[in-house]
Amino acid sequence: NAGVTQTPKFQVLKTGQSMTLQCAQDMNHEYMSWYRQDPGMGLRLIHYSVGAGITDQGEVPNGYNVSRSTTEDFPLRLLSAAPSQTSVYFCASRATGGLNYGYTFGSGTRLTVV
Amino acid sequence: AQRVTQPEKLLSVFKGAPVELKCNYSYSGSPELFWYVQYSRQRLQLLLRHISRESIKGFTADLNKGETSFHLKKPFAQEEDSAMYYCVVSGSARQLTFGSGTQLTVLP
């Protein structure tokens, strides 16, 4: 049971480069989300999806795009990386109606933009 | 807008001492509240959910709607409890709002 899998675990980008952070879950969860974790700020929601084909913005969406073509995958795209996007990124999922069981988180992607 | 406040960024206690991690929230409606824990360089894990009134690893948390608080408590701290703890509210879109976290260190 893999749960939520994020790749890569570490990435260094140059300012202006683009890349995609991958997130996949094998639990048939409808809800998926992307968060960024910064010191002293907790986790902040970037984008989320309530099902395949449906996405919406969270608290800090600027500079990021998402798509949800399948239930399993929810990639996060950085269009033109900036140093302010240096952070640890977490993907999370949960089942519909499974709020009381909380979200399952991936192990994170540590991104550095130089 | 919902908001979660964890007033202590850092908290140190000695092994065997009681520990309380404070959490206050603001939310217009009936909130769903959780405590998540992140051990060093590991993924976040659900520790407690208010609706289940459970005790996990000796931790408990009571929702006080009058004080809008959801403090996390443990009567006797252990060294393996050292971790980052996040208080979390689930909002109207069923997404999570995190507090800024409290880094708990249990000293030997």
Side-chain angles (χ1 to χ4, degrees):
Chain A
N1 186 1
V4 178
T5 302
Q6 288 184 239
T7 56
K9 292 189 183 300
F10 302 94
Q11 183 70 50
V12 178
L13 288 179
K14 293 183 178 179
T15 297
Q17 286 184 315
S18 63
M19 80 159 293
T20 299
L21 280 63
Q22 302 292 344
C23 176
Q25 52 89 11
D26 60 358
M27 299 171 284
N28 202 32
H29 284 174
E30 292 289 333
Y31 290 83
M32 296 186 75
S33 310
W34 275 103
Y35 295 85
R36 58 178 289 173
Q37 182 183 39
D38 300 294
M41 303 186 75
L43 278 76
R44 292 179 292 168
L45 181 64
I46 304 171
H47 285 284
Y48 66 96
S49 169
V50 298
I54 307 170
T55 64
D56 206 347
Q57 296 181 349
E59 181 184 355
V60 288
N62 293 339
Y64 308 94
N65 273 357
V66 292
S67 60
R68 185 92 181 271
S69 55
T70 66
T71 300
E72 293 78 20
D73 300 299
F74 191 44
L76 178 72
R77 297 184 190 83
L78 278 70
L79 308 173
S80 177
S84 60
Q85 293 178 304
T86 293
S87 187
V88 181
Y89 292 84
F90 287 97
C91 180
S93 73
R94 73 165 178 86
T96 303
L99 178 65
N100 292 338
Y101 297 93
Y103 279 74
T104 300
F105 282 82
S107 57
T109 295
R110 189 173 293 271
L111 176 68
T112 302
V113 182
V114 298
Chain B
Q2 60 208 42
R3 187 169 182 168
V4 181
T5 302
Q6 292 180 250
E8 305 137 329
K9 288 188 176 181
L10 303 171
L11 182 62
S12 295
V13 300
F14 285 101
K15 177 182 174 181
V19 61
E20 181 179 50
L21 288 77
K22 291 184 167 51
C23 172
N24 289 90
Y25 65 92
S26 62
Y27 181 73
S28 55
S30 297
E32 300 287 344
L33 286 141
F34 306 87
W35 277 97
Y36 278 78
V37 61
Q38 186 179 28
Y39 300 100
S40 180
R41 295 193 175 263
Q42 294 187 23
R43 66 184 71 196
L44 280 90
Q45 305 171 33
L46 177 64
L47 180 64
L48 283 178
R49 355 166 219 160
H50 90 271
I51 198 166
S52 60
R53 293 182 159 271
E54 58 202 342
S55 174
I56 302 293
K57 298 184 179 181
F59 285 98
T60 59
D62 290 322
L63 176 60
N64 186 323
K65 292 187 177 181
E67 296 180 359
T68 60
S69 68
F70 189 54
H71 303 328
L72 183 68
K73 300 177 183 179
K74 184 170 183 177
F76 307 103
Q78 302 299 315
E79 290 182 67
E80 55 265 30
D81 296 329
S82 295
M84 177 70 86
Y85 290 81
Y86 291 100
C87 182
V88 181
V89 168
S90 174
S92 56
R94 307 299 251 179
Q95 300 303 314
L96 305 179
T97 298
F98 283 74
S100 55
T102 297
Q103 179 67 49
L104 173 66
T105 301
V106 181
L107 304 167

